């Protein structure tokens, strides 16, 4: 039996899935930092997951999963970017590299804390407000189309979205203990 075969046997499908799901938010953040399309992020994560499972024998220990998985996600992102480049304009390679370096400095706990604060604040909005503020981030929906569906002009919708986003921003800052008036952390 080769070393790769023994590694494959030592990390079960269950253990692999636990590691993947544990680190999925960070891997999604890596992909999101490099790709502009939410659907492309989902596609890349799916492809990366399949590749990780196929190459699990390369993983020396469960402790090395996240750095190893980040490399695979980045490579899949670069493939997606190159495919997109053939279809339309995308970020330059230099910009993508800068974003990839920047994302490595993101503190996972801070990211999760911020995400939890945002989710909590979104829940404080009415269902209609929440749907409206999330609508522009759904698959390819244009603000003009949303405005038409709610019976408003695009300009009026932009203003309403701006107010809702400001409300969310203030809620998140208060939740995180950021002094809204000075922009600093309150004591």
């Amino acid at each position: 039996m080769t070393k790769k075969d023994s590694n494959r046997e030592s990390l079960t499908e269950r253990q692999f899935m636990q590691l993947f799901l544990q680190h999925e938010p960070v891997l999604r953040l890596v992909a999101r930092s490099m790709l502009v399309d939410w659907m492309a992020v989902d596609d890349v994560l799916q492809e990366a997951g399949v590749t990780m499972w196929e190459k699990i024998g390369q993983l020396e220990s469960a402790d090395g999963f996240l750095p190893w998985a980040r490399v695979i996600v980045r490579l899949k992102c670069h493939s997606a970017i190159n495919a997109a480049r053939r279809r339309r304009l995308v970020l330059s390679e230099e910009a993508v590299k800068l974003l990839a370096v920047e994302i490595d400095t993101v503190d996972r706990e801070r990211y999760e804390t911020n995400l939890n604060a945002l989710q909590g604040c979104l829940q404080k909005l009415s269902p209609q407000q929440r749907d409206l503020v999330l609508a522009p981030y759904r698959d390819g929906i244009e603000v003009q189309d949303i405005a038409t569906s709610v019976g408003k002009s695009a300009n009026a919708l932009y203003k309403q979205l701006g107010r809702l986003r400001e409300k969310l921003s203030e809620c998140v800052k208060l939740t995180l203990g950021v002094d809204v008036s000075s922009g600093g952390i309150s004591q």
Side-chain angles (χ1 to χ4, degrees), residues 4-74:
K4 283 186 179 181
D5 291 338
S6 69
N7 279 350
R8 176 69 180 248
E9 289 178 333
S10 66
L11 195 61
T12 66
E13 183 176 345
R14 178 182 176 87
Q15 291 167 323
F16 169 79
M17 288 305 298
Q18 286 173 332
L19 286 168
F20 185 82
L21 292 174
Q22 174 187 351
H23 297 295
E24 191 266 343
V26 173
L27 298 175
R28 182 170 295 281
L29 184 62
V30 169
R32 186 65 186 133
S33 74
M34 297 175 70
L35 302 169
V36 295
D37 181 358
W38 285 103
M39 289 184 65
V41 170
D42 291 339
D43 291 345
V44 160
L45 283 179
Q46 185 175 12
E47 288 178 32
V50 170
T51 300
M52 286 176 218
W53 177 246
E54 290 171 347
K55 298 181 181 273
I56 197 70
Q58 295 177 350
L59 187 61
E60 294 180 11
S61 71
D63 294 335
F65 181 85
L66 184 57
W68 175 75
R70 279 182 169 179
V71 169
I72 292 173
V73 168
R74 282 193 186 122

Side-chain angles (χ1 to χ4, degrees), residues 142-157:
E142 299 290 327
V143 173
Q144 182 61 48
D145 296 332
I146 299 166
T148 301
S149 71
V150 296
K152 294 186 177 215
S153 70
N155 191 35
L157 182 64

Side-chain angles (χ1 to χ4, degrees), residues 3-180:
K3 183 178 179 189
K4 283 186 179 181
D5 291 338
S6 69
N7 279 350
R8 176 69 180 248
E9 289 178 333
S10 66
L11 195 61
T12 66
E13 183 176 345
R14 178 182 176 87
Q15 291 167 323
F16 169 79
M17 288 305 298
Q18 286 173 332
L19 286 168
F20 185 82
L21 292 174
Q22 174 187 351
H23 297 295
E24 191 266 343
V26 173
L27 298 175
R28 182 170 295 281
L29 184 62
V30 169
R32 186 65 186 133
S33 74
M34 297 175 70
L35 302 169
V36 295
D37 181 358
W38 285 103
M39 289 184 65
V41 170
D42 291 339
D43 291 345
V44 160
L45 283 179
Q46 185 175 12
E47 288 178 32
V50 170
T51 300
M52 286 176 218
W53 177 246
E54 290 171 347
K55 298 181 181 273
I56 197 70
Q58 295 177 350
L59 187 61
E60 294 180 11
S61 71
D63 294 335
F65 181 85
L66 184 57
W68 175 75
R70 279 182 169 179
V71 169
I72 292 173
V73 168
R74 282 193 186 122
L75 290 173
K76 292 295 180 183
C77 286
H78 285 292
S79 294
I81 290 167
N82 288 335
R85 203 173 265 137
R86 289 187 290 272
R87 293 188 305 267
R88 64 179 193 271
L89 296 174
V90 294
L91 294 174
S92 71
E93 189 69 25
E94 183 179 326
V96 170
K97 286 179 184 176
L98 288 171
L99 289 171
V101 169
E102 179 69 24
I103 200 62
D104 282 340
T105 64
V106 170
D107 177 16
R108 181 176 181 195
E109 286 182 33
R110 183 174 166 209
Y111 167 75
E112 288 177 356
T113 300
N114 291 348
L115 182 60
N116 289 336
L118 177 59
Q119 288 172 337
C121 291
L122 279 168
Q123 292 305 312
K124 292 178 182 178
L125 295 175
S126 72
Q128 295 83 7
Q129 290 173 324
R130 190 170 42 250
D131 286 344
L132 187 61
V133 82
L134 294 175
Y137 303 102
R138 294 199 177 103
D139 303 328
I141 299 175
E142 299 290 327
V143 173
Q144 182 61 48
D145 296 332
I146 299 166
T148 301
S149 71
V150 296
K152 294 186 177 215
S153 70
N155 191 35
L157 182 64
Y158 276 117
K159 288 179 181 178
Q160 184 176 7
L161 284 172
R163 288 189 300 271
L164 287 172
R165 288 174 180 152
E166 183 62 31
K167 185 177 180 180
L168 278 174
S169 176
E170 289 176 16
C171 176
V172 168
K173 287 175 184 174
L174 288 172
T175 302
L176 296 174
V178 175
D179 182 358
V180 180

